[in-house]
């Protein structure tokens, strides 16, 4: 599955990074197995953006962070750790009924085209 986006900003806006949320709804009617225990992310191009957090929605509609996503304690609160320059990522976790995924990303790299800064972000593959 390809989930890639492009954001264009005028050069005079001085935008140096963009943030995005990739929201994926998992079709429940195409598989006989509704459980997931592994998530593979393949960003194009590799090592160009950061992954900020990965959460899923379960069959009860509750949002939860994937258990194996790295976190740290800040003021007695668990917060996600930024995975900078992300390559192919694999997260294994106890099997869950996942109906939706929400992947937060940051893209600090851009290229110039027609006096605009073009930011590409997303994933070539999101496989569960």
């Amino acid at each position: 599955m390809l989930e890639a986006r492009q954001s264009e900003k005028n050069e005079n806006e001085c935008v140096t990074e963009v943030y995005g949320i990739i929201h994926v709804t998992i079709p429940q009617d195409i598989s006989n197995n509704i459980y997931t225990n592994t998530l593979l992310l393949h960003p194009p191009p590799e090592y160009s953006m950061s992954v900020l957090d990965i959460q899923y929605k379960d069959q009860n509609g509750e949002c939860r962070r994937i258990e194996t996503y790295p976190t740290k304690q800040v003021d007695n609160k668990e917060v996600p750790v930024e995975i900078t320059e992300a390559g192919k990522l694999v997260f294994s976790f106890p099997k869950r009924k996942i109906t939706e995924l929400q992947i937060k990303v940051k893209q600090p790299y851009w290229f110039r085209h027609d006096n605009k800064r073009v930011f590409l972000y997303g994933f070539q593959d999101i496989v569960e």
Side-chain angles (χ1 to χ4, degrees):
M1 152 189 333
L2 175 63
E3 275 297 317
R5 302 285 184 261
Q6 176 176 312
S7 179
E8 295 181 2
K9 303 295 179 187
N10 287 325
E11 186 70 37
N12 61 359
E13 291 180 39
C14 299
V15 174
T16 60
E17 59 190 20
V18 295
Y19 292 80
I21 297 175
I22 307 296
H23 185 104
V24 179
T25 301
I26 311 299
Q28 301 296 304
D29 57 348
I30 64 170
S31 174
N32 59 359
N33 184 1
I34 59 173
Y35 290 96
T36 300
N37 68 348
T38 303
L39 179 63
L40 168 66
L41 302 176
H42 183 191
E46 285 188 60
Y47 312 110
S48 71
M49 67 178 191
S50 295
V51 176
L52 303 174
D53 197 8
I54 302 174
Q55 295 193 3
Y56 67 92
K57 189 179 283 189
D58 62 19
Q59 75 278 6
N60 297 325
E62 294 182 46
C63 288
R64 301 180 183 276
R65 179 170 296 112
I66 290 197
E67 291 92 331
T68 54
Y69 189 87
T71 60
K72 63 182 178 182
Q73 292 291 324
V74 175
D75 297 327
N76 293 325
K77 185 177 177 184
E78 189 175 60
V79 296
V81 171
E82 179 178 347
I83 301 173
T84 59
E85 299 180 348
K88 289 182 183 177
L89 299 171
V90 177
F91 296 94
S92 295
F93 44 88
K95 68 180 180 180
R96 302 280 181 243
K97 288 183 180 178
I98 294 179
T99 60
E100 297 177 35
L101 283 172
Q102 188 176 75
I103 306 164
K104 296 179 181 181
V105 298
K106 176 176 79 172
Q107 178 55 278
Y109 300 107
W110 51 272
F111 63 90
R112 187 173 282 117
H113 179 71
D114 290 337
N115 293 323
K116 295 186 183 216
R117 293 182 180 183
V118 179
F119 298 84
L120 297 175
Y121 60 95
F123 296 95
Q124 178 177 326
D125 283 317
I126 301 174
V127 181
E128 63 165 339

